[in-house]
Amino acid sequence: MNRSFAFILVAALTLCASQVCQAAEKKNPEANRLARDGVEAAQNQDFDKAVDLLKRATAMDKKYGDELSAVYQQRAYAAANDQRYGDAINDYNEALKLTPQNAARIHEQRAAVEMKIQDYDKALADYSELIKQKPDEIKYISYRAYIYELKNDLQNSMANNEKILKLDANNQDAKARKQRLEQKIAERTPLTPPPRSPTPSPTHSPAKKKKP
């Protein structure tokens, strides 16, 4: 997750806090109080407390799921920066369950963490999901081509790379990758020996009979 994304999350939480404070939901004041305190804890970067409070609020009223998802993503970002990649992925998983409408953003952030721990199969699945949503997004296709190359799946890497070049014929990374892949494929292809010319069978003179 980049800094601009972290800033967006903080801004979203600030907006949520304002909305929560103004909500004054008489039908569930306890959920409203928990949510308000949870958002405040997130702004103070006490993410564990924020998750706990917002989970309780969401259990009472599903409308607070957006705030909880934002905190999960914030905590995931902090965990990834602290190299606690498993914790980060778990939080992104929870965020995705809560806000599938934000799937693209969460898939992208989770894939970045999966790349850090070289879990290429899961990163590949996340980028493939992103490509379904945005078929012409070159950066996603490029990541998938790169992962296939790392997995030594040269044919799929080349297929993705060709798609990039169709979208952007002057893409320098794709051009370089194509040359590299072509060389690897050529090295992998076994050389076929030239056909041998048929060798004529030797001729033998009939054996002479011995005289009695």
Side-chain angles (χ1 to χ4, degrees), residues 23 33 48-49 51 63-64 67 71 81-82 85 90 107 109 113 118 128 132 141 155 188-189 195:
R33 183 188 67 78
D48 293 342
K49 180 180 179 181
V51 166
K63 74 176 185 177
Y64 297 115
E67 286 84 356
V71 173
N81 280 345
D82 200 31
Y85 300 121
N90 288 337
H107 278 300
Q109 302 308 320
V113 177
Q118 300 180 4
S128 294
K132 286 181 187 177
I141 305 170
Q155 297 299 331
R188 178 181 290 184
T189 306

Side-chain angles (χ1 to χ4, degrees), residues 156-167:
N156 272 320
S157 182
M158 181 67 84
N160 280 268
N161 204 63
E162 288 298 317
K163 186 173 182 180
I164 295 169
L165 289 172
K166 285 181 181 178
L167 294 167

Side-chain angles (χ1 to χ4, degrees), residues 58-112:
T58 303
M60 295 178 185
D61 193 332
K62 297 296 183 184
K63 74 176 185 177
Y64 297 115
D66 286 350
E67 286 84 356
L68 179 56
S69 176
V71 173
Y72 271 129
Q73 291 175 70
Q74 271 199 303
R75 191 169 72 171
Y77 174 54
N81 280 345
D82 200 31
Q83 299 185 3
R84 293 182 289 110
Y85 300 121
D87 291 339
I89 289 172
N90 288 337
D91 278 349
Y92 283 129
N93 293 344
E94 294 302 319
L96 188 58
K97 292 175 190 175
L98 288 162
T99 52
Q101 68 274 19
N102 295 331
R105 183 174 65 197
I106 298 170
H107 278 300
E108 185 172 3
Q109 302 308 320
R110 187 172 66 180

Side-chain angles (χ1 to χ4, degrees), residues 128-142:
S128 294
E129 196 62 38
L130 285 162
I131 291 168
K132 286 181 187 177
Q133 298 176 37
K134 296 183 178 180
D136 295 335
E137 183 60 62
I138 287 178
K139 68 176 178 177
Y140 299 150
I141 305 170
S142 184

